[in-house]
Amino acid sequence: MKHLRKWGIPVLTGLVVLAALLLPERISALRDRQTLGALHTVPLAEEDLTVREISLPEKLELLAQAILDPDLEVFSTTQPLPLPGEPGAEQAEETFFKSVEYLADWNVLPESFDLDTLEFQSGSRAVYVRSDGYQSASMLYLQGATGNRDSFWIVVDEETGLPVWIDCSLRSVPAKSLLSGEELGARFLDGLGLEVQQRGPNVWEIDGAGGLMYSARVESGYGRISVEPLGFMDDFDQGEGDSSDAPMAEIW
């Protein structure tokens, strides 16, 4: 009993002091673990979760800004598509032939052209992203040819599968079978379902595309037909636009 009285009070005092030192830290750690272990949610407005889908005219505007005005902040990345015979090439090949079918259905191609001889050759994917928003467009650049030295260069909107830019040489087709430039452009843009304002014999402004101009060209010497972005209305109003500056595809 004497030993208990002798050592009990110091031991009890020590436990009290130890508890005073350790318990606040343990309580704090427990509180932190409970706080950090809980799920915390912050309500977001609906517009914060929505990536706005852009229309075809807006995609064409973005495409034209990327290729015609490199000073604009439109970021792009490209990658080659699988070549014929490689794994995954079937999808690119299918997209190419589907785009050619669109051209035939729109009566852009002469009836005398033999589609059965056409073969897919190669392609690449380009993604264009505008830096000031959530707008982007993915385009497929596809090429094909025939044994008769006919060549197809087609830019396809990957989302819709629609051809939005063509530059083809139909050397096997008689010159008299080719459309005029005005007929070619009108049929092509009508096939895309675009609202346009004609600004010249072979030039159209695309509604909803920031003043983007498209042009059509037919060169009967070697059967070349092309429908492509030409520039923006503001550039022409300032005297800066020239049809000779329009980007053209490589001629085979």
Side-chain angles (χ1 to χ4, degrees):
M1 191 65 175
K2 291 181 180 180
H3 289 292
L4 180 60
R5 289 178 179 177
K6 180 178 180 180
W7 296 107
I9 295 177
V11 170
L12 181 60
T13 303
L15 291 176
V16 171
V17 172
L18 184 63
L21 293 174
L22 296 180
L23 281 178
E25 182 178 353
R26 295 294 297 170
I27 293 172
S28 177
L30 180 61
R31 183 178 61 249
D32 292 343
R33 186 170 63 181
Q34 290 175 337
T35 301
L36 296 176
L39 293 176
H40 294 271
T41 60
V42 177
L44 294 176
E46 184 176 352
E47 57 268 20
D48 295 331
L49 301 175
T50 302
V51 177
R52 187 172 71 87
E53 295 183 2
I54 64 175
S55 64
L56 182 58
E58 290 173 312
K59 292 179 184 178
L60 298 181
E61 179 184 1
L62 185 56
L63 169 65
Q65 287 176 339
I67 62 175
L68 296 175
D69 193 347
D71 293 332
L72 291 179
E73 293 185 351
V74 176
F75 303 108
S76 64
T77 180
T78 60
Q79 66 177 128
L81 296 174
L83 296 172
E86 295 181 348
E90 296 81 3
Q91 184 174 357
E93 186 172 358
E94 180 180 350
T95 300
F96 172 75
F97 283 110
K98 183 62 178 177
S99 66
V100 174
E101 288 181 15
Y102 278 122
L103 299 179
D105 292 342
W106 300 343
N107 295 316
V108 168
L109 301 178
E111 293 183 1
S112 59
F113 179 72
D114 186 4
L115 291 174
D116 294 334
T117 63
L118 185 61
E119 294 182 356
F120 172 66
Q121 290 183 319
S122 62
S124 62
R125 173 186 287 107
V127 179
Y128 304 103
V129 181
R130 183 172 294 146
S131 62
D132 60 354
Y134 295 101
Q135 295 184 344
S136 66
S138 179
M139 298 290 170
L140 302 180
Y141 290 73
L142 307 174
Q143 299 179 34
T146 71
N148 297 320
R149 297 175 62 237
D150 300 308
S151 61
F152 279 69
W153 185 89
I154 306 175
V155 180
V156 177
D157 172 35
E158 186 171 15
E159 182 181 12
T160 63
L162 294 172
V164 298
W165 179 359
I166 63 170
D167 199 333
C168 310
S169 294
L170 308 179
R171 294 181 173 91
S172 66
V173 175
K176 63 181 180 180
S177 299
L178 298 174
L179 300 171
S180 67
E182 188 168 3
E183 290 175 317
L184 172 67
R187 294 184 184 186
F188 184 87
L189 297 173
D190 184 62
L192 286 174
L194 297 172
E195 297 291 334
V196 300
Q197 304 295 324
Q198 190 162 0
R199 301 302 184 187
N202 303 334
V203 179
W204 295 262
E205 180 182 356
I206 310 298
D207 290 354
L212 175 62
M213 310 286 285
Y214 253 63
S215 68
R217 178 182 296 186
V218 176
E219 299 178 17
S220 57
Y222 46 90
R224 181 185 182 186
I225 62 173
S226 64
V227 185
E228 60 192 341
L230 179 63
F232 289 90
M233 177 63 78
D234 289 344
D235 297 332
F236 290 94
D237 289 342
Q238 297 170 10
E240 299 175 0
D242 188 335
S243 60
S244 63
D245 296 330
M248 297 294 178
E250 178 183 357
I251 301 301
W252 293 276

